[in-house]
Amino acid sequence: MFARALPDRSVLLALGALAAAAVLYLGIGARGDLGFILMFRGSKLLALITVAVAVAVSTVVFQTISNNRILTPSIMGFDALYLLIQTVLVFTLTGVGFAYLDPYSKFALETGLMLAASLLLFGTLLRNSRDLSRMILTGIIFGTLFRSMTSLLNRMIDPSEFSVIQSASFARFNSVNADLTWLAAGITLLVSGWLIRRHRTLDVIALGRETAINLGVNHDREARHLLTLVALLVSVSTALVGPVVFFGLLAAALTYQVAGTWRHVVLLPLSGLIAATILVGAQTLFERVLGFQASVSVVIEALGGLAFLYLILRKASR
Amino acid sequence: MIGIRDLDVSLTGSPVLHDITTTLPAGRLTALVGPNGAGKSTLLATLGRLVAPTRGEVELDGRPLLDYPDRELAQRLSVLRQDAPIGPRLTVEDLVSFGRYPHSRGRLTDLDHARVRHAIDRLDLRAFAGRYLDSLSGGQRQRALIAMVLAQDTDVILLDEPLNNLDLAHARRVMQIAREEADAGRTVVVVLHDLTVAAAYADHVVALKEGRLYAEGPSDEIMTPAVLSSLYDTPVSVATVENRRVVLTV
Ligand SMILES: Nc1ncnc2c1ncn2[C@@H]1O[C@H](COP(=O)(O)OP(=O)(O)OP(=O)(O)O)[C@@H](O)[C@H]1O
Ligand SMILES: [Mg+2]
């Protein structure tokens, strides 16, 4: 019953949906030098899929560690923390020419700090994750704190350097930080692959801390490792497009509905595929068909926000 | 055999268990009794390495629990909590199958499936095997959790109030199973509130009061009006009905 030779049917369907969305995204309105357009659009498509997979997989894993289906890394303030770290680095390292560093070194520095900071801040918090209201409250406080500190620092930095900081309240899916696309895609692929390989352990961790320990899983150590990977995935997606607050929640909630199983061997790939289909589909619709530029993230976040409200209210009424 | 030495345990900073030293005999059924809040669940959780002691040590067969690798310990010791929350939506069979995880790491063999079926049958759950836990009654759910522990197939079985929510027939069934496991050489520790049940099934009794070891010994020595009355600060009498001791409050 645990082993499963063939991929789940819902995974195959989602793969088909993503392929269709990708073809439309690449194909619609492609005129002129086809090779150039496909290359240009292809690298954007890769970035979109990378962000979607990173956000969705990190959300599902985070919800498994924290044993609930409402909190997500971004609701807990993970991407706000990443932006704060980015800003602090600009603020403190201007003298040594941080702004002129190549994007890879910058990313490495920011991500390294992000991993350490999130383990420090969220590691202990997760151990008491049974108290959901406290977790939500802490997340809101963290998020607000990080965002206020970021904007405070932004104001203190003089205008010429202000432009260096990529802080926005919404993600920018159409101005992707292209330098990092390949690195981000590689990291996301590796991390997601590793997580999918450990799907059986994740299944046990989802049972809760005590049951997992009883079954011989070193829960605290596993949770620490998983949290590090979650932070890595959040860094990747935030570095590419900026903060996405409710998208992960939307993707994860849909995944649980569609999958109808607790098995991570289905949940993880399915969540990535569903998120990528939503993002690529929405981007195709808005950019290619309707001709709007900035609305995709607004719409996706609004839908995700509604999903969040729905989950909270449903929980409250039980 | 489980050895407990100089054990102090705190929960979220407040001391709960103080200076407990005792031995739980191998191949016996030990009843853990005492008033609400005495620390029974905390002691059981410490024995099951779910809670780390602030001082002292728990040993299994002469070796500290902390020295066992996680997986090996899970193959030798299983614990049922008083309030085990199960996150995802599982069927009874899924849940009981997780009991085999320490042995098969989630790749179930024929032997594993047989063990799972056996555990389900022993708790009279065959008709519910495919049902989701959240669609079961409290007692059916409790039986499913016990079946999971049995499927784990360990030398040491720790059960915290396994009779919660059970009707008298299933309570009897569960105590018979506990007895069978002890008779098969396993070390079984059960937290019980029903002292008549404890007197009927347990070989050995450990009584806690206010976080301290209050009394311990063979069942006959502890299940007396004098010991029980002062343990619970309530007048208790022990009658004999059909050759069995029945514990009554007066
Ligand atoms: N998380 C906690 N933090 C602090 N104190 C706690 C915590 N959990 C329990 N306690 C306290 O520890 C003491 C022992 O609790 P425990 O659950 O072990 O009692 P018990 O003997 O199992 O009681 P019951 O018969 O009601 O199940 C109680 O006084 C309780 O109030
Ligand atoms: Mg208790």
Side-chain angles (χ1 to χ4, degrees), chain B residues 52 125 140 177 225 236:
Chain B
L125 282 168
Q140 291 160 349
I177 290 173
V236 171

Side-chain angles (χ1 to χ4, degrees), chain B residues 9-32:
Chain B
V9 179
S10 298
L11 294 178
T12 55
S14 41
V16 172
L17 295 181
H18 311 274
D19 206 21
I20 294 185
T21 301
T22 183
T23 308
L24 308 177
R28 294 286 151 76
L29 203 170
T30 298
L32 194 53

